[in-house]
Amino acid sequence: MIKPHFIQFIRIFYLVFRYNLDEFLLQAPYFRRLYFLRWCNPFYIFSNRFISRGQRLTLALQKAGPLFVKFGQILSTRQDIFPKDIVDQLVTLQDKVPPFSPNIARQLIHPLSHFSHVNYTPIASASIAQVHAATLHDGTHVVIKILRPKIRALLARDIAFLRWGAKFIKLENSSAIQGMIDEIEMTLKQETNLVNEAAHAEQLKENAKINHATSLFIPDIYWDLTTENRLVMERIYGLPIMNIAAIKDAGVNLHALAKKCVEIFFTQMFQDNYFHADLHPGNIFINVTKPECPIIELVDFGIVGSLPLKDRRYIAENMAALIDKDYRKVAKLHRESGWIPAYVPEIAFAHAIQTVCAPILNKSLKDISLAQLLLGLIQAAKNYEIQLQPQLLLLQKTLLNIESLCRHLDPDFNIWDVTQPILKRWLKDQIGPMAMINFLKNNLPVIIRNMILYRQ
């Protein structure tokens, strides 16, 4: 009997041949002797040789199916493993696939008695799930997000195939590839449990009430109607953030809106330590009911990010030091944070950072990309074989999305003008006098109790 992995392998191998991805396979011992076959490939001779490898990989993933599109999107966060030209193409992957039939949707939304009306034509359709508009019996408008049929089994099959392929091909950086597959598996398991997404939304909403009560809106979750396979939440009616003409016509100040986006993201990241990590334009809407005070509405909470305190301090202090072009301080901070091993000389590492970041910093402040600076640190760490947390790479991609979005709203937007006060204020709270006051306020009862026990 032919094994499923072998059938899938033949299908994928055809796509490799069709899009001439042999330059990836030829890194593997099994395929190095087959280089001559490249010149027997008519696709290479007549067309593919004129298309970049990143474009060819992106096209192949799209042809392989929606699940591989999702894989490609996750791979696009791994600048520490893949070259820049490949990552730049992977980020263009669009997670749009044809919807499944209304009959299947009706079965998955069951029981229908919870709703007075359901629109079985989806308002959004992606590789993992699709979304339908509905109305509750009390007239409340909601959306229902349902997983695609047999999605977990399909994901498990494809993850198993990736593991088998990585083991079979034996790439030189196979340990990094295996770790990346583990990361993909964990991320997709979270995304295919809609209770997780509901919990993420709930936490983001609680944080928003404290720090962004008048500027950020997270829809309510209907927990009694939500399961692992179905998420029911309040429907929003804001304008898509990329519909700039409509937002501007409504009287919204685009510069102020861009500033608000940055303030919300950095507050989520540093103060809340819980940030929406999939902030592409399709997940951001603007409520323009009050144009002088627009409200940012977020959806799709499958992926969130969180960083330990030491890593948040690492990012804030490093960004401040980089803007001052103090590369020795950056290297010292890496050492103190445990990001570089003891055997790596600080001077050598400082020079590596300068080599990567100097071209970025030799621009006016308004043209400096914080995401590119963070990527520069990641690249310098990569050269010294430093293992980076996936959450840090997720942050870099999210920051890149935010920067791109803000500059689309306002081409002259200076992200550093907004970010610098937030970083300085947060660092002051962490390492200044207020940090000691907060520490004593939070820990004084424990300190007193320990002192009493010690005296006894």
Side-chain angles (χ1 to χ4, degrees), residues 179-218:
M180 185 178 58
I181 294 173
D182 291 339
E183 178 192 340
I184 290 172
E185 183 175 28
M186 180 183 67
T187 300
L188 291 177
K189 279 184 177 180
Q190 290 182 349
E191 285 198 69
T192 53
N193 183 344
L194 297 182
V195 172
N196 282 336
E197 181 172 346
H200 295 163
E202 192 78 12
Q203 185 61 58
L204 288 168
K205 189 175 186 69
E206 288 301 312
N207 294 342
K209 288 178 182 177
I210 299 171
N211 297 314
H212 314 289
T214 61
S215 57
L216 177 63
F217 181 80
I218 307 294

Side-chain angles (χ1 to χ4, degrees), residues 407-420:
R407 286 184 172 140
H408 196 75
L409 290 171
D410 179 7
D412 295 323
F413 185 74
N414 185 343
I415 192 171
W416 184 245
D417 278 349
V418 183
T419 306
Q420 192 176 34

Side-chain angles (χ1 to χ4, degrees), residues 192-254:
T192 53
N193 183 344
L194 297 182
V195 172
N196 282 336
E197 181 172 346
H200 295 163
E202 192 78 12
Q203 185 61 58
L204 288 168
K205 189 175 186 69
E206 288 301 312
N207 294 342
K209 288 178 182 177
I210 299 171
N211 297 314
H212 314 289
T214 61
S215 57
L216 177 63
F217 181 80
I218 307 294
D220 282 331
I221 301 297
Y222 290 84
W223 282 101
D224 55 331
L225 304 179
T226 295
T227 68
E228 289 187 1
N229 300 317
R230 182 185 66 197
L231 170 64
V232 181
M233 69 179 182
E234 180 181 2
R235 187 174 182 182
I236 61 171
Y237 291 94
L239 295 172
I241 197 167
M242 294 306 287
N243 192 350
I244 293 176
I247 294 172
K248 190 175 181 179
D249 288 344
V252 175
N253 184 314
L254 296 183

Side-chain angles (χ1 to χ4, degrees), residues 298-336:
L298 302 182
V299 297
D300 196 352
F301 311 100
I303 306 175
V304 296
S306 179
L307 289 167
L309 177 60
K310 69 171 186 176
D311 289 345
R312 282 178 283 152
R313 286 184 58 179
Y314 152 86
I315 293 166
E317 292 183 298
N318 272 279
M319 283 186 174
L322 281 170
I323 291 296
D324 294 334
K325 299 183 181 180
D326 190 346
Y327 302 109
R328 286 293 298 272
K329 183 177 180 180
V330 175
K332 183 180 179 181
L333 288 168
H334 273 69
R335 172 87 72 206
E336 292 173 352

Side-chain angles (χ1 to χ4, degrees), residues 281-298:
N283 289 338
I284 308 174
F285 299 82
I286 308 300
N287 184 328
V288 296
T289 305
K290 296 180 180 179
E292 70 283 0
C293 186
I295 298 174
I296 297 170
E297 301 175 327
L298 302 182

